[in-house]
Amino acid sequence: MMKNMTGKEKFFWISYGMALVVLFLLSSTDLIIKEEKVKIHPISVIVEADSDDNYVNFKKGMDLAAVELNADVSFITLYEQGNRRQQEELILREQLDGSRALIVAPVNREAVIQMQEQNSLYLPLVFINSEAGGEGEEERAAAVTFDFFSMGKRLGKEMASESLPGEKIYILENEAMSAAGRKFAEGIRSGVAEVLGSPAISYAWQPGGKSTALEKMTEGWTQRVIIAAPEPENLMEAAQLLQETENAGEWVGGLYGRGSSVPILNYLDKGIISGLCVTDDFSAGYLSVKAAIELAEGKAAREETYLESYYIRRGDLRDEKFEKILYPVE
């Protein structure tokens, strides 16, 4: 057949065959045009808690950012709630294991900043639920957080306004409180004092001691109390105890706190929790990963991003606005 072809026809078929070979090489190999490889950023998230119960929505936002922004994110909890030493060890471990940036909910913010100042921590760092680093750390640190003092102050004012004459307000506190919990407790005290002119009472609540904690607190009392829990874990324990205690409503006029986990929202829906401060944790998770990637790439991330928080009651759970915040779709 080739013998009967003209020179032009032979040239056409040879050129056509060569073009097919070139197209095959272009589509199936990188011998001629190499594909640009997607850069994946390893990022470690280290929180102050020993479980991820209060980080469900945060992780949903974090996972979405990881997919959209090409990050490999590891979420790490402590072995013991609020253990500063453990958190510092995990920070150094993740740094040695190749993380490009860290996202940390600090047990002790000042201790983490000191690690930066001493250069034992040299990775870019994003604080969550806490303010950013100290002076001179702008290029290596950012923060995605909430104004916990203002949040607590609003809760304190709501509690005080809803309390009955003679009811005392108690704040459940302990040494293992996070930086966010301490700020929140300060805000509660400020709000209560502003409305009532008298301070709330600090009560040492030991995690895990819920079987006798409220019984000891109420020994010898002749009046009802209002209880505030600055930490979601303590709020959960107190709510569970109130649910299990017969006639608890006779001596506890209301339970208040902060948290956005499904069990806490269920206690609000049952009326066991009277009022609750909630946060947009999904957005916090997404924005913290975005800031970590920007810092890892040497870009200037916004130093501090403050997100909105809200005070809700039982009826607000059916509000479409809060449903989107509290039950985000992945």
Side-chain angles (χ1 to χ4, degrees):
M1 181 178 175
M2 292 290 287
K3 291 180 180 179
N4 298 326
M5 288 186 182
T6 64
K8 288 184 178 180
E9 289 175 328
K10 288 180 181 179
F11 178 77
F12 169 78
W13 284 108
I14 291 171
S15 299
Y16 181 72
M18 291 178 66
L20 288 176
V21 172
V22 171
L23 288 172
F24 173 77
L25 289 172
L26 288 172
S27 63
S28 61
T29 73
D30 59 357
L31 293 176
I32 298 176
I33 298 178
K34 292 189 177 182
E35 257 184 63
E36 185 179 347
K37 292 183 179 179
V38 176
K39 191 173 184 179
I40 304 296
H41 301 278
I43 295 170
S44 298
V45 181
I46 305 171
V47 297
E48 82 293 1
D50 58 3
S51 75
D52 63 355
D53 293 348
N54 295 306
Y55 284 92
V56 174
N57 289 345
F58 181 91
K59 289 177 70 177
K60 288 180 181 180
M62 178 189 82
D63 291 341
L64 178 62
V67 171
E68 293 186 352
L69 305 176
N70 303 317
D72 179 13
V73 183
S74 301
F75 187 89
I76 301 160
T77 59
L78 303 184
Y79 311 119
E80 180 184 340
Q81 179 86 18
N83 190 309
R84 167 188 162 183
R85 296 297 179 190
Q86 281 181 9
Q87 188 173 64
E88 291 174 6
E89 289 170 5
L90 289 169
I91 286 172
L92 295 177
R93 184 194 75 182
E94 293 304 301
Q95 181 172 257
L96 289 172
D97 286 350
S99 281
R100 292 286 311 282
L102 298 175
I103 299 171
V104 178
V107 173
N108 186 303
R109 172 180 171 272
E110 290 70 27
V112 178
I113 292 173
Q114 187 176 31
M115 292 175 70
Q116 286 184 306
E117 292 172 345
Q118 295 174 346
N119 291 321
S120 58
L121 171 56
Y122 50 81
L123 284 181
L125 177 66
V126 177
F127 287 94
I128 52 175
N129 299 337
S130 175
E131 296 170 347
E135 288 185 36
E137 298 299 333
E138 292 83 0
E139 295 179 1
R140 294 197 297 161
V144 176
T145 187
F146 304 90
D147 188 342
F148 287 100
F149 179 85
S150 295
M151 193 192 310
K153 185 171 182 177
R154 179 174 181 185
L155 181 71
K157 292 170 75 172
E158 294 284 352
M159 292 171 60
S161 299
E162 294 171 9
S163 65
L164 298 176
E167 287 182 333
K168 292 184 178 180
I169 296 177
Y170 278 71
I171 304 176
L172 306 183
E173 299 183 81
N174 57 59
E175 293 180 357
M177 285 173 64
S178 65
R182 287 191 291 272
K183 284 281 187 184
F184 191 70
E186 288 175 19
I188 293 173
R189 276 190 286 270
S190 175
V192 169
E194 187 173 314
V195 173
L196 298 180
S198 58
I201 303 167
S202 179
Y203 179 81
W205 173 275
Q206 297 303 321
K210 61 185 180 183
S211 60
T212 59
L214 288 181
E215 293 172 12
K216 288 180 179 177
M217 191 194 305
T218 56
E219 281 181 9
W221 284 4
T222 58
Q223 56 195 16
R224 297 206 313 169
V225 298
I226 306 292
I227 299 172
E231 296 283 27
E233 294 82 8
N234 296 351
L235 179 61
M236 271 287 298
E237 287 191 348
Q240 184 179 343
L241 181 57
L242 291 183
Q243 180 176 254
E244 296 170 353
T245 303
E246 189 177 355
N247 301 321
E250 294 180 5
W251 44 270
V252 176
L255 174 64
Y256 299 78
R258 68 180 179 95
S260 304
S261 68
V262 171
I264 285 178
L265 297 175
N266 287 341
Y267 280 124
L268 178 66
D269 198 25
K270 292 176 183 177
I272 295 170
I273 294 175
S274 306
L276 191 63
C277 285
V278 296
T279 51
D280 184 358
D281 295 341
F282 183 90
S283 294
Y286 189 97
L287 293 174
S288 64
V289 172
K290 182 175 182 289
I293 291 174
E294 289 173 349
L295 290 173
E297 292 179 340
K299 299 176 183 176
R302 185 175 174 183
E303 187 179 347
E304 290 183 338
T305 300
Y306 283 92
L307 302 179
E308 284 191 72
S309 61
Y310 310 89
Y311 176 76
I312 64 172
R313 297 181 179 86
R314 183 179 184 178
D316 295 317
L317 290 172
R318 307 293 181 266
D319 188 309
E320 185 178 349
K321 171 186 175 181
F322 294 118
E323 282 185 343
K324 290 179 179 179
I325 293 171
L326 301 172
Y327 307 101
V329 178
E330 294 180 71

